[in-house]
Amino acid sequence: MEKAIQLKVRKDLDPRQQLTVIKLKGSLISKGYTEIIHILDQDDEFHLNTFETAQDRRSEVHQYIAAFINAENLSDTIYIK
């Protein structure tokens, strides 16, 4: 069974932050966690990035994203919902 994961991403990013968020999304796809990431506007401040992943990999994906956010100092830029 597939399960959605949502990331809340700030809209007002500097170029380095934009590149790093793109890097995160690309790595989620290249590691096989998902095939596509859907992007929707949440409000004037944030986008919602949603993707499906297998239920048995959900914890692994959350850990990967949290470690990436921490390593790249994006804790004020991207949030796991």
Side-chain angles (χ1 to χ4, degrees):
M1 182 172 174
E2 299 293 308
K3 186 68 176 173
I5 294 178
Q6 288 187 337
L7 302 175
K8 191 166 116 174
V9 181
R10 285 201 177 280
K11 289 183 177 181
D12 61 340
L13 303 177
D14 65 38
R16 184 201 70 81
Q17 291 169 321
Q18 288 176 356
L19 184 60
T20 307
V21 169
I22 291 169
K23 182 179 166 184
L24 171 60
K25 293 178 192 180
S27 67
L28 291 170
I29 292 168
S30 68
K31 290 184 177 297
Y33 292 136
T34 190
E35 292 181 10
I36 190 167
I37 298 173
H38 304 278
I39 303 170
L40 299 170
D41 281 337
Q42 177 179 338
D43 53 32
D44 291 339
E45 266 188 83
F46 293 97
H47 292 290
L48 277 181
N49 292 241
T50 306
F51 63 93
E52 299 283 325
T53 192
Q55 182 68 32
D56 63 338
R57 295 191 81 187
R58 186 171 185 180
S59 178
E60 177 184 345
V61 173
H62 275 272
Q63 290 175 4
Y64 176 78
I65 294 169
F68 189 96
I69 290 169
N70 186 46
E72 297 293 337
N73 298 318
L74 294 174
S75 60
D76 62 342
T77 304
I78 189 167
Y79 311 91
I80 302 172
K81 284 189 75 173

